[in-house]
Amino acid sequence: MQYTAAYASPLGGITLASDGESLCGLWFDGQKYFAATLSGEHEERDLPVFRQTRRWLDRYFGGEAPDFTPPLRLTGSPFRLAVWDRLLKIPYGKVVAYGEIAAALGEESGRWSRAAQAVGGAVGHNPISIIVPCHRVAGSGGSLTGYAGGIDKKRALLALEGVDLRSYFVPKKGTAL
């Protein structure tokens, strides 16, 4: 059985999902791939993991880097799990490029393609937004494409963390940051 709860963020409603022990989903309401990992049978319930997650989100939206992570359960292919693990290592207030993640995975495993596009697909299907910080990934030219919650939310999350993308990337001609 899976369980859900709601969270009202400054950027809009968020739905949380759990297997009863760990957080297995966190989506902005209506985002692309919304509730993709949520089973047909679920019920709304207040659980300890939801209280931890709300506390984490309160700190985050309050402008703090949370010093804990609620228990997470990510399910996916080995490649997606490896990408999501890399996302968890991106520090608060920092940004990396899709290509950097692809190159790091290629070097570590020697098995997976270095294609940034494949990494982009895995990042886009991240089932636990914000906590698994897919918003901290951008194109090498400063492009903010690839956020399932919408570019406006990605910009807002990065601004909340104090990120100035101009310090990370040199924009391609005609690309606005």
Side-chain angles (χ1 to χ4, degrees):
M1 175 63 98
Q2 288 184 317
Y3 306 94
T4 59
Y7 179 82
S9 86
L11 301 179
I14 291 177
T15 297
L16 312 174
S18 173
D19 59 8
E21 300 287 324
S22 301
L23 189 70
C24 58
L26 189 156
W27 307 274
F28 282 106
D29 293 345
Q31 79 172 49
K32 191 174 184 180
Y33 311 119
F34 176 79
T37 58
L38 191 58
S39 66
E41 270 192 56
H42 59 273
E43 64 182 58
E44 199 163 319
R45 182 179 289 176
D46 189 32
L47 299 171
V49 68
F50 290 150
R51 290 190 292 277
Q52 287 179 309
T53 302
R54 285 187 191 103
R55 194 165 43 97
W56 191 99
L57 290 167
D58 287 345
R59 286 186 181 180
Y60 180 82
F61 284 114
E64 271 183 65
D67 58 356
F68 69 96
T69 302
L72 307 176
R73 177 151 303 129
L74 292 158
T75 56
S77 70
F79 178 76
R80 284 187 177 178
L81 291 171
V83 170
W84 299 334
D85 184 59
R86 295 295 296 186
L87 296 180
L88 285 164
K89 294 174 182 168
I90 303 170
Y92 180 94
K94 302 293 181 192
V95 176
V96 301
Y98 292 98
E100 289 177 67
I101 294 172
L105 289 174
E107 287 175 20
E108 286 175 5
S109 71
R111 298 185 324 212
W112 292 311
S113 165
R114 293 177 168 221
Q117 188 174 16
V119 169
V123 170
H125 284 84
N126 168 23
I128 303 177
S129 295
I130 307 172
I131 295 174
V132 178
C134 50
H135 62 281
R136 295 182 188 148
V137 184
S140 60
S143 169
L144 292 183
T145 61
Y147 191 63
I151 298 303
D152 58 331
K153 286 182 177 66
K154 185 170 188 164
R155 282 186 194 280
L157 293 170
L158 292 173
L160 179 72
E161 294 183 25
V163 173
D164 178 4
L165 286 175
R166 292 173 291 196
S167 67
Y168 284 93
F169 304 101
V170 176
K172 293 177 185 173
K173 189 174 182 176
T175 303
L177 290 179

